[in-house]
Amino acid sequence: MSPVENPVPLLAGGTKQRLSRDLVLSAALALVDAEGLDALTMRRLGQELGRDPMSLYRYAENRAALLDGVSELVFNELAIVPDDPDWQVQLRRIAHDLRRLALRHPNVVPLLVTRPLSTPLGLRPLGTLRPLEQILALLIDAGFAPADALHVYRAYYGYLYGHILNELQEFVVDPDEHEALLRLGLHRLPAKDFPRLRALAPVLADYDGMAELDEGITILLSGLASRLSLPSCPTGS
């Protein structure tokens, strides 16, 4: 069991800091970072904070509210600059910022990806909806029709989440092995059936998450820019 670092900040004189929503959620995030989502319960969080678990219900009515609050806390670290008109530069920067957040809080990623699916859009925590609102505004101001801006957002985040999940799951059989086929275990695949995959072993073994994300974002943004430059086509054409 990994210790949670500094879950209860102390004031001068060694007294405990007064409970607040921010303190409770920060401790919840620290617990998830250290031990995973399953460790986050009211009882365990109370232990980390040195408080009666019942006192936490003032700041989160149940575990579901805690999970929503942790999601908001992480999303609040994602900076979107509404006054920057360069939508391509912004989307590229946001993508890299989200990747850094995911690498900093890998245990929270499944929550960010799957938690919204359990809640209707209008009932989700406001902090989790702000990136959607801000990116829609950015794209609409850039010239996308509102419906197209929503399609772009969905494609963009679909790609980002897919990339992040793939990167966090990257695994090699033997990291000390220099031969790419052996390092990835691809030598076990029948050469006749998987010639292209085996041939890509050096590229697969030299995986660079940041470069891979940037390459994918370049492809995505190039396609979106082309779409923006085209006149609207009549339905059915």
Side-chain angles (χ1 to χ4, degrees):
M1 183 178 294
S2 302
V4 179
E5 295 184 5
N6 302 321
V8 189
L10 300 180
L11 300 173
T15 58
K16 293 178 182 178
Q17 184 173 330
R18 185 175 181 177
L19 280 184
S20 66
R21 177 174 167 79
D22 285 345
L23 179 60
V24 169
L25 293 181
S26 294
L29 176 57
L31 180 57
V32 172
D33 281 342
E35 300 181 25
L37 287 169
D38 289 343
L40 181 59
T41 65
M42 287 295 195
R43 180 182 296 275
R44 181 63 197 284
L45 187 58
Q47 291 174 352
E48 294 297 332
L49 288 165
R51 303 302 211 287
D52 184 336
M54 295 303 295
S55 67
L56 305 183
Y57 286 93
R58 178 180 177 184
Y59 308 99
E61 62 184 14
N62 49 38
R63 184 175 185 272
L66 272 182
L67 294 175
D68 286 340
V70 168
S71 296
E72 283 191 286
L73 201 61
V74 173
F75 274 123
N76 284 343
E77 297 183 46
L78 191 63
I80 299 175
V81 185
D83 297 331
D84 185 348
D86 194 327
W87 63 276
Q88 293 193 58
V89 168
Q90 281 233 59
L91 290 185
R92 188 181 297 275
R93 181 184 53 75
I94 292 167
H96 284 285
D97 285 350
L98 185 61
R99 174 181 175 269
R100 281 190 286 268
L101 277 176
L103 295 179
R104 192 181 310 150
H105 306 291
N107 289 337
V108 182
V109 170
L111 181 63
L112 301 182
V113 175
T114 63
R115 180 71 184 159
L117 301 178
S118 64
T119 311
L121 189 63
L123 299 180
R124 295 175 193 172
L126 297 183
T128 65
L129 290 175
R130 287 195 182 97
L132 169 57
E133 177 68 23
Q134 292 170 331
I135 289 177
L136 287 176
L138 173 69
L139 294 169
I140 292 169
D141 289 346
F144 286 93
D148 286 340
L150 181 58
H151 295 322
V152 169
Y153 173 88
R154 287 170 173 164
Y156 175 71
Y157 264 88
Y159 167 71
L160 287 184
Y161 283 146
H163 169 86
I164 287 168
L165 289 172
N166 282 335
E167 182 171 357
L168 290 176
Q169 293 172 7
E170 279 295 317
F171 178 75
V172 296
V173 174
D174 184 357
D176 296 323
E177 172 60 56
H178 295 295
E179 176 62 39
L181 276 172
L182 299 177
R183 184 180 181 193
L184 298 174
L186 293 177
H187 61 290
R188 299 173 183 172
L189 300 179
K192 182 179 177 181
D193 296 332
F194 297 94
R196 294 171 182 82
L197 188 56
R198 287 169 58 102
L200 281 169
V203 179
L204 291 168
D206 193 29
Y207 183 85
D208 182 332
M210 181 183 295
E212 194 70 28
L213 174 66
D214 209 51
E215 182 69 21
I217 286 293
T218 296
I219 294 170
L220 183 62
L221 293 182
S222 297
L224 294 175
S226 298
R227 181 182 180 91
L228 183 61
S229 66
L230 292 174
S232 300
C233 296
T235 302
S237 61

